[in-house]
Amino acid sequence: RRGVIEAGQARQQALDRFARVFLVGCGPGDVNLLTLQAYHCIRQAEVVLYDHLVPQQILDLVPEGVEQVYVGKQKQAHSLRQDDINQLMLGYARQGLRVARLKSGDPYVFGRGAEEARFLLQQGIAVEVIAGLSSAVAGPAAAGIPLTARGYAANVSIVSAHLAGSRLNTDWLPMLQRPDHTTVVLMGLSFAAEIAAQALAAGVPADLPVAIVSNASRENQQTIIT
């Protein structure tokens, strides 16, 4: 056991010394849900690239004088293409700067973190991914809704309603007819009416309980039970 702990410490020291890009999961929005690891990474960053869902309270943690670059991508309003973001990270890393790429939620849960990590590793840049609390878990919790409960749901699926090109993903609709199952749909708010129509057309019961949670954990959070 001691050897495993020492190996883990050695790995972390190596990452701290050589990693140049940190893909930082910033959680659903509430600064209090930021992990300590993410906090320390932000405080030690030499340049920060941040998404449009990263709130000002988290950006306020960035040390004074550190360059902050907005690379947000909203629906049909991308400030930069993904390729451009990749090149930005690569350029800063090759300057020897410690880059913190701030992403809402968790980088590996529908956050394109895998694409960014793969690109940088292919360019010989050491990358560390810092897990964040996904809205898939934090959203229901903030609304007081358990994803699983004994006798209620023993299974959970997390799906995205949004495909490239602003297309609706409906492959998951059959899951809504499974008993003892909770389905969490991310990026589905703008498709709500279309999802409801296609679910009914697919035979999903009209009285299936649904909760819609927007801006989870933030001051303007809204929850609709229907």
Side-chain angles (χ1 to χ4, degrees):
R1 182 179 177 183
R2 181 178 178 182
V4 171
I5 293 175
E6 290 177 346
Q9 292 174 337
R11 173 185 176 277
Q12 187 61 52
Q13 290 172 356
L15 283 169
D16 289 343
R17 188 176 302 115
F18 298 115
R20 286 300 171 195
V21 178
F22 297 80
L23 305 182
V24 184
C26 291
D30 185 346
V31 68
N32 293 305
L33 297 180
L34 199 67
T35 67
L36 286 175
Q37 188 179 20
Y39 170 81
H40 291 307
C41 184
I42 292 171
R43 295 295 297 169
Q44 296 168 9
E46 295 173 307
V47 61
V48 168
L49 282 66
Y50 65 97
D51 282 346
H52 81 281
L53 288 176
V54 176
Q56 188 60 48
Q57 292 92 331
I58 290 179
L59 294 177
D60 288 342
L61 299 176
V62 178
E64 186 175 350
V66 170
E67 182 177 2
Q68 299 183 32
V69 183
Y70 175 70
V71 294
K73 287 182 286 192
Q74 301 182 54
K75 187 176 181 180
Q76 299 179 337
H78 294 188
S79 63
L80 291 173
R81 296 179 305 133
Q82 186 62 51
D83 288 345
D84 296 329
I85 296 172
N86 291 346
Q87 291 297 331
L88 263 179
M89 291 188 293
L90 178 62
Y92 284 122
R94 284 181 170 169
Q95 293 177 44
L97 297 174
R98 186 181 178 99
V99 183
R101 168 77 168 101
L102 308 188
K103 306 176 75 67
S104 177
D106 182 277
Y108 277 0
V109 180
F110 301 116
R112 305 192 74 167
E115 299 172 42
E116 295 177 351
R118 180 175 61 228
F119 169 80
L120 292 165
L121 290 170
Q122 288 174 343
Q123 304 303 316
I125 302 299
V127 180
E128 182 175 5
V129 178
I130 297 177
L133 184 58
S134 171
S135 61
V137 176
I145 300 169
L147 295 181
T148 63
R150 188 181 297 274
Y152 174 72
N155 308 282
V156 177
S157 296
I158 300 173
V159 304
S160 171
H162 189 275
L163 298 174
S166 296
R167 294 177 294 121
L168 173 62
N169 171 28
T170 59
D171 291 343
W172 52 272
L173 287 178
M175 295 179 185
L176 299 180
Q177 301 191 60
R178 296 180 181 178
D180 204 25
H181 192 98
T182 300
T183 303
V184 180
V185 184
L186 300 182
M187 295 176 283
L189 189 58
S190 62
F191 289 121
E194 191 172 352
I195 289 171
Q198 295 207 29
L200 291 170
V204 176
D207 60 352
L208 179 73
V210 174
I212 301 174
V213 184
S214 64
N215 299 306
S217 83
R218 302 173 188 241
E219 292 182 355
N220 59 339
Q221 173 180 317
Q222 289 185 306
T223 304
I224 297 174
I225 307 295
T226 184

